[in-house]
Amino acid sequence: MSASVRFSVIVTNYNYGAFVCEAIDGVLAQTRVPHQLIVVDDGSTDGSPAQLAERYGDDPRVTLLLGENGGQLAAFQRGLAVADGDVVCFLDADDCWRPEHLARLGELFDTRRDIDFVFNDVELFDQQVGRMRHADRPVDLGYTAVSTYMLTHWYGAPTSAIALRIDWARRTLELPVGLSSSWRLSADNCLVFGTSILGGRKYYLPTGTVRYRIHGANGWWSHRTPANEYLNRFRSRSLIEHYACSVGLDARCVEFAKQEFKTKPEPTWREARRYAGLVRLRQGSWLRRTEQSLSILWSAWRRRGKLPVEFKGLG
């Protein structure tokens, strides 16, 4: 049997003194003990640094990094600089994990050495309740570069529900200064888009172990205005183009949409429709593109073993 992967957990905090200890204690209570727990305080002004130093300063299980404010991406980079595990998990200080979270991730990473990036479902709690999920079952998403580049599709989850192999984290967070300054918030986009465009294999694993706190002062959740949504999409496009340029990817990649779809063992019907639309963007005759689009839908039906409701309604 192959050796178990070692998890480096990076908790990032900025003025979340009311929540950060719950997040840290939740990591320390994991049934699968992390290799490292790194806590990065990003220049908090609410007393968090003193609170963290008093509670965890002498705890050998916790590495504290206290410094000036630089934003979420800078905090990611500072934590990653001292991480030396096999897989990195990021946890926002206002979120928390159930005790079996790392154990569930470990079951997958230990046995699937070809998987580079895993994301989970998210349970909303506190001022709002609900669940955010990609699908109702585990999904091997295969490769996602074409779909991400052509459609700006986001194969991921919020920060606290992301885990990726450390080499992929380093590659995605190596950004020029001019681009880095755009990601003081929502730096999880760098991990999500970067891994897709640079060629990582992704997997969605619903676990019910990630809790995303809604408290009215969330860095991203509380700033979801139409203007901010637009600006985030605009910045995301620039980020994708940066990664794409580094590997020579451009719009011609749509020619490989069908091949990329074949890397997905059991695609969801939604994913099949996405790729059926992508192949229609290819060069060539209308008939040929239509044939390839229908072949993707047919392939998804055969692999899933039943005809989806949406397909039954097509006449």
Side-chain angles (χ1 to χ4, degrees), residues 56-263:
Y56 304 105
D58 296 324
D59 192 328
R61 300 171 297 173
V62 181
T63 299
L64 289 180
L65 302 179
L66 310 178
E68 297 181 358
N69 178 254
Q72 189 181 35
L73 177 57
F76 282 0
Q77 292 168 331
R78 288 172 58 203
L80 190 60
V82 300
D84 63 3
D86 304 305
V87 173
V88 179
C89 300
F90 295 88
L91 176 61
D92 283 338
D94 53 340
D95 298 334
C96 55
W97 294 336
R98 297 191 186 279
E100 64 275 16
H101 180 64
L102 291 182
R104 293 292 306 278
L105 287 173
E107 292 171 359
L108 180 62
F109 277 113
D110 287 345
T111 57
R112 290 290 305 272
R113 294 289 169 165
D114 59 325
I115 298 298
D116 304 303
F117 181 108
V118 176
F119 63 101
N120 313 109
D121 54 329
V122 174
E123 175 191 351
L124 307 180
F125 76 107
D126 202 337
Q127 294 183 9
Q128 187 173 337
V129 297
R131 187 170 297 277
M132 299 167 56
R133 63 183 185 179
H134 174 81
D136 59 0
R137 59 181 174 86
V139 182
D140 183 343
L141 291 158
Y143 297 96
T144 55
V146 175
S147 179
T148 297
Y149 184 82
M150 296 300 298
L151 304 176
T152 319
H153 192 69
W154 200 67
Y155 290 95
T159 300
S160 302
I162 289 174
L164 67 166
R165 298 196 186 268
I166 194 166
D167 289 344
W168 283 96
R170 289 179 176 138
R171 289 182 66 188
T172 61
L173 296 185
E174 289 180 358
L175 295 170
V177 175
L179 194 58
S180 297
S181 61
S182 300
W183 298 101
R184 293 183 60 87
L185 292 176
S186 302
D188 47 358
N189 281 323
C190 304
L191 303 170
V192 171
F193 288 133
T195 304
S196 285
I197 294 295
L198 296 177
R201 187 177 187 119
K202 290 191 168 182
Y203 196 101
Y204 169 68
L205 181 68
T207 61
T209 58
V210 179
R211 307 190 73 212
Y212 184 102
R213 188 191 308 268
I214 306 299
H215 50 82
N218 303 75
W220 169 77
W221 189 274
S222 59
H223 292 85
R224 292 182 303 155
T225 66
N228 285 338
E229 291 281 352
Y230 165 76
L231 291 173
N232 190 58
R233 294 279 291 185
F234 186 85
R235 290 185 296 123
S236 294
R237 189 69 237 176
S238 297
L239 183 67
I240 287 170
E241 291 294 344
H242 166 77
Y243 291 124
C245 183
S246 72
V247 293
L249 190 69
D250 60 27
R252 290 172 293 183
C253 69
V254 74
E255 299 299 319
F256 305 105
K258 185 175 181 180
Q259 286 74 22
E260 183 170 282
F261 179 75
K262 289 180 178 179
T263 70

